[in-house]
Amino acid sequence: MSSAPKIAFNAFTTPSKGVLIAFCGEGLEFGSATRKVLGKTADLVRRAAKGERFSGKSGTSLELLLPEALKVDRLVVIGTGKGSESKPNDALKLGGGAMGKVPKSAEDVTVVAELPSGALDADQAADLAQGIALRAYVFDRYKTKRKDDEKTPEKRSVTIAVEGPGAARKAYARREAVTGGVLMARDLVNEPANVLYPEEFARRTRALSKAGIDVEVLDERDMKKLGMGALLGVGQGSSRESRLVVMRWNGGKKGEAPVCFVGKGVCFDTGGISIKPAGSMEDMKGDMAGAACVTGLMQALAARKAKVNAVGLIGLVENMPDGKAQRPGDIVTSLSGQTIEIINTDAEGRLVLADVIWYAADRFKPKFIVDLATLTGAIIVALGQEYAGMFANNDELSERLTKAGEETGEKVWRMPLAPEYDKMIDSKFADMKNTGGSRWGGAITAAQFIKRFVDDKTPWAHLDIAGTGFDSRQNDVNRSWGSGWGVRLLDRLVAEYYER
Ligand code: BES
Ligand code: MN
Ligand code: ZN
């Protein structure tokens, strides 16, 4: 694994080596501190810009090698465009974009945290640093051969030059904790399913106890005793045993009801007997992205010592076809006592969630439950990869999630729940069936199914992250496949509304 860069904050000074990154606006406008840092080189930038037709437009950049009058190897000037209104997420993306301009081989990087309109404040500088850390992540554990330009040095350091280094450092401390959670989630999603099966996933959660989290692992015998027939039915075709992990962080008042996060952890989803077509089936190693997010979130909350009582619960199974596998037509009894007719063994995530959500509510009597699951292809058809689908039985929780989503850039879009959809999952033989029978509204009927395992008094939101949990597209703050989506979102939700 290539190592994460070490990030430090310093006052504005001109660096004497490495890569220097500065920002300029349209018309090659620099801020006053940047002008000082660049000194005479500012004129050189102006001359080079003409030849390159660089005008400082947002999303463009100019690179100068061995710039005269500076001791650095390389100067990168990044355009930020017209000084339009800034959005909450801007500095994070700016940091990610800046890190994208750094050659893999660079050991020392200095970023001047100033826009033409003025120096970034402590929070913005910390966001910039977080964007850098997120962008720098690569998952290369299984690469044994690397081209020279893909090699990163053992030690990389990024210095953020800011107006108030002390305040920025302080603001960055909690973001560093959250970044750790995001990267942990990405690692889990990126791991192949021959390495990361339920037991191994459970084993890795044990590392969270170092941060002060209480980790409890239930095995198949425990779950059988409890009566988790829905979850166990999914895993019964796999040679890998299923697990349920309960992670508790008690940073809040003693005895105060916790908030619960539940994650779908299907370590591999072949579809089971209702087997999936071969095309892109390899992506189904990421069908545990919900569980990865919950794990990363718990790590983040503990690392930043969040003043909240939080419980993360993840249902870990592998969905395989086999002589022992569950069949279409089988009827299972869930922990809630409700019976389910299996119509399609590929609609397995909701079966896992049904038992884990019921267990969470029954045992912890939480203030709210948020579940995350790569649940349906239908949500990708509806929303693509920009927004996760959100279903909720509570307007306040829904509004808070929407707001936290806008602030972090991990956006959610509320989808409907209604009795008409609920009717679609009534079964001839059991209390319900596990699919609506029609592909229409597939994300909604899945949510309706889960809703049958939530009592109306517990505020609940279901996030269908099939489109956002992993991603082959590139963006400013993530170049790897696993996104770690949801860690920053839910950390923000907790920080804004539930920490005291
Ligand atoms: N894990 C899949 C959903 C999925 C698809 C996630 C693509 C990420 C990318 C889920 O278990 C599934 O197979 N859902 C089925 C449900 C159907 C059988 C009712 C689907 O979406 O087709
Ligand atoms: Mn499936
Ligand atoms: Zn699945």
Side-chain angles (χ1 to χ4, degrees):
M1 230 33 189
S2 53
S3 57
K6 209 170 137 12
I7 292 180
F9 295 88
N10 234 328
F12 291 124
T13 43
T14 308
S16 55
K17 59 177 176 177
V19 180
L20 172 61
I21 299 183
F23 301 105
C24 79
E26 205 143 358
L28 301 181
E29 224 189 311
F30 288 111
S32 59
T34 309
R35 271 202 306 273
K36 261 184 223 148
V37 168
L38 293 181
K40 283 193 205 125
T41 310
D43 299 327
L44 194 64
V45 169
R46 223 154 280 134
R47 269 165 49 213
K50 219 179 244 163
E52 294 283 309
R53 302 222 172 133
F54 172 76
S55 63
K57 274 204 189 76
S58 167
T60 65
S61 64
L62 176 73
E63 294 184 40
L64 299 181
L65 297 179
L66 302 172
E68 212 184 315
L70 284 178
K71 284 185 185 150
V72 298
D73 303 328
R74 185 188 288 253
L75 167 67
V76 184
V77 180
I78 295 180
T80 58
K82 291 201 189 77
S84 54
E85 248 175 71
S86 66
K87 287 187 248 29
N89 215 22
D90 282 353
L92 185 92
K93 285 199 267 183
L94 203 61
M99 193 61 197
K101 295 287 165 203
V102 174
K104 297 263 183 301
S105 59
E107 284 183 40
D108 291 280
V109 181
T110 304
V111 184
V112 185
E114 188 195 44
L115 298 178
S117 53
L120 300 187
D121 65 26
D123 279 320
Q124 290 169 320
D127 280 346
L128 183 90
Q130 187 177 26
I132 289 169
L134 290 172
R135 173 65 176 252
Y137 171 85
V138 281
F139 183 80
D140 56 5
R141 189 171 288 171
Y142 300 103
K143 293 268 193 193
T144 65
K145 298 185 179 81
R146 246 166 252 150
K147 295 191 197 91
D148 277 344
D149 63 350
E150 288 171 353
K151 285 184 188 146
T152 53
E154 278 289 300
K155 281 191 188 140
R156 287 188 295 166
S157 80
V158 178
T159 304
I160 320 277
V162 286
E163 203 166 54
R169 216 170 280 138
K170 200 166 155 228
Y172 182 60
R174 56 168 298 162
R175 285 170 181 79
E176 194 173 18
V178 176
T179 300
V182 175
L183 302 191
M184 173 183 276
R186 285 184 188 171
D187 271 349
L188 291 166
V189 175
N190 285 324
E191 282 285 17
N194 60 330
V195 173
L196 196 81
Y197 45 92
E199 266 181 278
E200 171 61 14
F201 195 139
R203 196 189 64 77
R204 292 197 188 185
T205 63
R206 298 252 182 226
L208 275 70
S209 58
K210 267 189 244 127
I213 289 177
D214 178 65
V215 182
E216 197 183 328
V217 179
L218 282 70
D219 64 15
E220 288 194 349
R221 237 190 45 217
D222 301 327
M223 289 190 275
K224 207 166 278 167
K225 236 190 265 163
L226 285 164
M228 295 192 161
L231 183 153
L232 288 168
V234 176
Q236 81 188 32
S238 171
S239 63
R240 305 292 194 183
E241 273 206 27
S242 303
R243 291 288 183 268
L244 168 63
V245 181
V246 182
M247 297 166 273
R248 273 184 293 175
W249 167 249
N250 295 313
K253 289 205 191 91
K254 210 174 165 193
E256 193 173 57
V259 298
C260 275
F261 300 98
V262 172
K264 167 180 173 180
V266 177
C267 293
F268 196 81
D269 180 14
T270 63
I273 296 300
S274 316
I275 199 161
K276 288 181 180 296
S280 301
M281 203 206 272
E282 68 278 14
D283 283 358
M284 288 300 107
K285 73 171 183 176
D287 208 18
M288 29 56 71
C293 170
V294 169
T295 307
L297 173 69
M298 294 306 294
Q299 165 69 34
L301 293 176
R304 70 170 183 79
K305 304 228 180 317
K307 292 184 181 58
V308 70
N309 294 332
V311 187
L313 303 101
I314 55 177
L316 302 170
V317 301
E318 187 180 49
N319 188 21
M320 298 290 273
D322 179 76
K324 291 198 198 112
Q326 165 159 280
R327 292 151 291 252
D330 283 5
I331 295 176
V332 297
T333 302
S334 67
L335 178 62
S336 72
Q338 301 177 91
T339 56
I340 305 160
E341 182 191 4
I342 309 298
I343 300 297
N344 188 320
T345 65
D346 197 12
E348 85 296 341
R350 62 199 75 182
L351 296 167
V352 174
L353 291 174
D355 277 348
V356 183
I357 287 175
W358 186 272
Y359 180 77
D362 184 51
R363 178 169 168 192
F364 295 107
K365 312 279 184 288
K367 273 200 197 121
F368 69 72
I369 298 177
V370 174
D371 79 72
L372 298 101
T374 46
L375 206 67
T376 67
I379 202 66
I380 313 178
V381 175
L383 298 175
Q385 298 191 290
E386 287 310 315
Y387 284 78
M390 171 176 64
F391 300 83
N393 67 358
N394 180 286
D395 291 342
E396 190 171 289
L397 179 58
S398 153
E399 279 156 25
R400 289 175 175 184
L401 276 163
T402 301
K403 187 155 169 284
E406 292 301 329
E407 287 169 2
T408 56
E410 295 185 335
K411 294 176 289 188
V412 299
W413 193 263
R414 192 173 186 178
M415 303 280 289
L417 290 162
E420 293 77 8
Y421 297 110
D422 181 68
K423 265 214 303 264
M424 293 166 73
I425 54 171
D426 284 338
S427 156
K428 253 195 261 143
F429 299 102
D431 296 334
M432 70 193 87
K433 50 188 184 180
N434 79 329
T435 73
S438 155
R439 287 167 55 217
W440 294 1
I444 307 175
T445 48
Q448 292 290 166
F449 180 94
I450 301 167
K451 190 173 181 293
R452 291 197 184 197
F453 299 86
V454 181
D455 69 280
D456 292 331
K457 277 173 234 94
T458 308
W460 156 74
H462 155 59
L463 304 181
D464 193 334
I465 61 168
T468 56
F470 44 80
D471 189 353
S472 43
R473 296 169 319 162
Q474 319 247 289
N475 70 54
D476 281 333
V477 291
N478 183 30
R479 293 280 142 159
S480 97
W481 183 73
S483 64
W485 191 98
V487 174
R488 289 189 303 113
L489 169 74
L490 296 175
D491 170 70
R492 179 66 63 105
L493 176 80
V494 169
E496 294 268 298
Y497 301 107
Y498 299 95
E499 259 181 86
R500 271 173 298 143

